[in-house]
């Protein structure tokens, strides 16, 4: 018994000796199968990487099954290769199911998720709930078409622009543009409580061919009431969008003398004096001379130059004399100290 064990150990651990190399090859099927096997293991990670691997392993095991049957006639080799082929086919079906389950209906929604929601860490399943609220439909608006008319269009939905540009105006006066990946009606949405009704105070017109997605008010409110995470997500996105619109609009509130009103803090404003002397003279009506500054008096600040506005936007399109009738406007007071009282 001891001798048999010793012989077995010697047989297991002793290096086999090759007395001579055979000149015969295993045939084309054997080499083709191993070529596919080699290419398959060059795949990467993730669902698509695994699909690449098993996509090459499948023809590899098919070739090895044919080789086992037609060349060596080995039932054991045929059985093992058949089992490995079956495992690869099952893995491919599982991966295709996962990709179909996690995939998005079209490229525009996939781009929306990759650009906006993925950087925020939103899971794909949550985004599917959000896109399901607008039925995964992408709407189109031709150049010149109107999305909303001031005082007429009811606030019944919330839309997000995927491509194109929207012109926002008030009584024919240009306010600002809505660009790609911005909400069309975030201020209107936030201005109403869930059970309130209202109408647009501005007119929205497409300057280019636009594509957008749109949530119906009731359906989106239902989703926000059920999903707290989605509710917080929309609160952040809407708040950021409204802040962007306010900053853009802030650069357009001028008075005749060059005063720029900061709409974030209406009691604080700074003067954008023209760089030339002629610009200074325009701030007066000609009957009153501008006050002279004592040469020994300290200079409180430098006059900044007028900020450069985007192309197509007129910095004088909104003049504060148009807002003089608004109660509590800064123009109703002689100075900032009077306004603060």
């Amino acid at each position: 018994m001891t001798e048999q064990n010793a012989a077995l150990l010697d047989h297991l651990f002793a290096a086999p000796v090759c007395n001579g190399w055979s000149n015969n090859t295993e045939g084309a099927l054997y080499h083709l199968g191993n070529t596919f096997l080699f290419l398959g293991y060059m795949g990467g990670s993730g669902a698509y990487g695994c699909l690449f691997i098993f996509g090459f392993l499948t023809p590899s095991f098919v070739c090895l099954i044919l080789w086992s049957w037609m060349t060596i006639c080995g039932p054991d080799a045929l059985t093992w290769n058949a089992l490995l082929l079956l495992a690869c086919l099952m893995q491919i079906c599982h991966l295709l199911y996962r990709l179909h389950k996690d995939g998005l209906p079209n490229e525009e929604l996939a781009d929306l998720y990759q650009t906006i929601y993925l950087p925020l860490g939103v899971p794909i399943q949550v985004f599917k709930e959000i896109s399901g609220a607008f039925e995964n439909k992408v709407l189109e608006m031709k150049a010149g078409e109107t999305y909303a008319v001031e005082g007429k269009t009811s606030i019944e939905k919330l839309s997000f622009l995927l491509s194109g540009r929207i012109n926002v105006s008030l009584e024919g006066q240009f306010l600002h543009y809505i660009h790609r990946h911005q909400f069309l009606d975030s201020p209107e949405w936030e201005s109403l409580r869930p059970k309130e009704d209202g109408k647009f105070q501005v007119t929205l017109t497409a300057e280019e061919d636009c594509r957008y997605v749109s949530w119906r008010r009731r359906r989106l409110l239902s989703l926000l009431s059920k999903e707290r995470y989605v509710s917080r997500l929309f609160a952040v996105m809407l708040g950021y969008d409204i802040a962007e619109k306010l900053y853009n609009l802030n650069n357009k509130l001028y008075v005749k003398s060059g005063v720029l009103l900061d709409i974030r803090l209406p009691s604080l404003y700074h003067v954008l004096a023209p760089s030339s002397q002629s610009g200074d003279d325009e701030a007066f009506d000609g009957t009153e001379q501008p006050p002279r500054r004592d040469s020994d008096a300290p200079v409180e600040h430098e006059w900044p130059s007028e900020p450069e506005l985007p192309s197509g936007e007129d910095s004088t399109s909104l003049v504060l004399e148009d807002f003089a009738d608004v109660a509590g406007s800064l123009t109703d007071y002689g100075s900032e100290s009077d306004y603060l009282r």
Side-chain angles (χ1 to χ4, degrees):
M1 187 68 180
T2 305
E3 293 179 357
Q4 292 179 353
N5 291 337
L8 179 61
L9 292 175
D10 292 340
H11 182 71
L12 290 175
F13 294 102
V17 179
C18 186
N19 295 325
W21 295 98
S22 173
N23 292 326
N24 298 327
T25 60
E26 296 298 338
L29 288 174
Y30 175 81
H31 294 292
L32 181 61
N34 282 278
T35 301
F36 282 123
L37 191 67
F38 172 77
L39 294 175
Y41 282 110
M42 297 178 66
S45 59
Y48 289 101
C50 292
L51 190 63
F52 178 90
I53 293 174
F54 291 111
F56 273 100
L57 291 184
T58 298
S60 172
F61 291 126
V62 169
C63 293
L64 292 178
I65 287 174
L66 295 175
W67 168 76
S68 303
W69 178 34
M70 300 174 61
T71 304
I72 65 172
C73 298
D76 51 349
L78 178 65
T79 302
W80 278 112
N81 286 307
L83 291 174
L84 291 171
L85 174 63
L86 179 62
C88 287
L89 292 175
M90 293 176 63
Q91 286 288 347
I92 289 176
C93 292
H94 175 67
L95 289 169
L96 291 177
Y97 172 76
R98 276 184 54 193
L99 292 174
H100 175 73
K101 183 179 179 181
D102 296 340
L104 295 170
N106 55 63
E107 294 183 0
E108 287 179 302
L109 294 183
D111 178 68
L112 174 62
Y113 175 72
Q114 294 287 336
T115 307
I116 302 298
Y117 291 90
L118 184 59
L120 295 175
V122 178
I124 185 67
Q125 295 302 328
V126 175
F127 177 74
K128 283 193 168 186
E129 293 184 13
I130 296 173
S131 62
F134 59 78
E135 300 178 349
N136 296 311
K137 293 182 179 178
V138 178
L139 306 177
E140 187 175 1
M141 184 165 48
K142 297 294 185 180
E145 291 185 7
T146 300
Y147 175 83
V149 178
E150 55 190 90
K152 296 182 179 180
T153 306
S154 299
I155 304 172
E156 298 177 346
K157 55 186 177 180
L158 176 67
S159 302
F160 191 83
L161 190 62
L162 300 180
S163 62
R165 187 171 66 173
I166 302 292
N167 181 307
V168 182
S169 60
L170 174 63
E171 297 180 355
Q173 294 282 350
F174 172 81
L175 294 180
H176 61 87
Y177 285 121
I178 297 175
H179 298 280
R180 176 175 179 258
H181 291 164
Q182 288 185 331
F183 286 100
L184 274 70
D185 36 19
S186 53
E188 288 76 12
W189 176 272
E190 288 293 300
S191 66
L192 296 181
R193 294 181 179 179
K195 295 184 179 180
E196 290 182 342
D197 296 327
K199 297 184 181 297
F200 278 81
Q201 300 301 311
V202 293
T203 298
L204 281 70
T205 307
E207 281 210 348
E208 306 171 355
D209 291 344
C210 300
R211 296 181 67 81
Y212 64 98
V213 296
S214 186
W215 294 270
R216 286 294 174 182
R217 184 175 180 82
R218 290 184 179 179
R219 187 164 184 176
L220 182 56
L221 287 175
S222 176
L223 175 63
L224 298 181
S225 63
K226 292 186 297 184
E227 299 291 341
R228 188 175 182 182
Y229 174 80
V230 178
S231 178
R232 290 183 176 181
L233 176 66
F234 268 81
V236 171
M237 295 181 64
L238 288 168
Y240 176 81
D241 188 81
I242 293 174
E244 284 290 310
K245 289 180 171 63
L246 289 176
Y247 275 108
N248 291 335
L249 187 60
N250 184 72
N251 289 331
K252 309 203 51 73
L253 296 179
Y254 283 86
V255 296
K256 288 183 176 180
S257 60
V259 177
L260 172 62
L261 179 66
D262 192 335
I263 59 178
R264 294 169 298 172
L265 297 173
S267 63
L268 302 177
Y269 61 93
H270 59 277
V271 177
L272 297 181
S275 56
S276 63
Q277 182 63 31
S278 60
D280 291 334
D281 296 338
E282 292 177 358
F284 302 92
D285 57 7
T287 60
E288 182 181 353
Q289 295 298 323
R292 295 185 178 180
R293 179 172 55 86
D294 190 354
S295 59
D296 297 330
V299 179
E300 295 183 358
H301 63 278
E302 296 291 336
W303 299 115
S305 59
E306 183 175 345
E308 182 179 354
L309 295 175
S311 176
E313 299 188 13
D314 182 10
S315 63
T316 61
S317 61
L318 282 182
V319 182
L320 280 188
E321 65 177 359
D322 300 330
F323 297 87
D325 297 333
V326 179
S329 173
L330 182 61
T331 56
D332 295 338
Y333 300 89
S335 64
E336 182 181 353
S337 58
D338 294 336
Y339 180 84
L340 292 173
R341 290 177 182 175

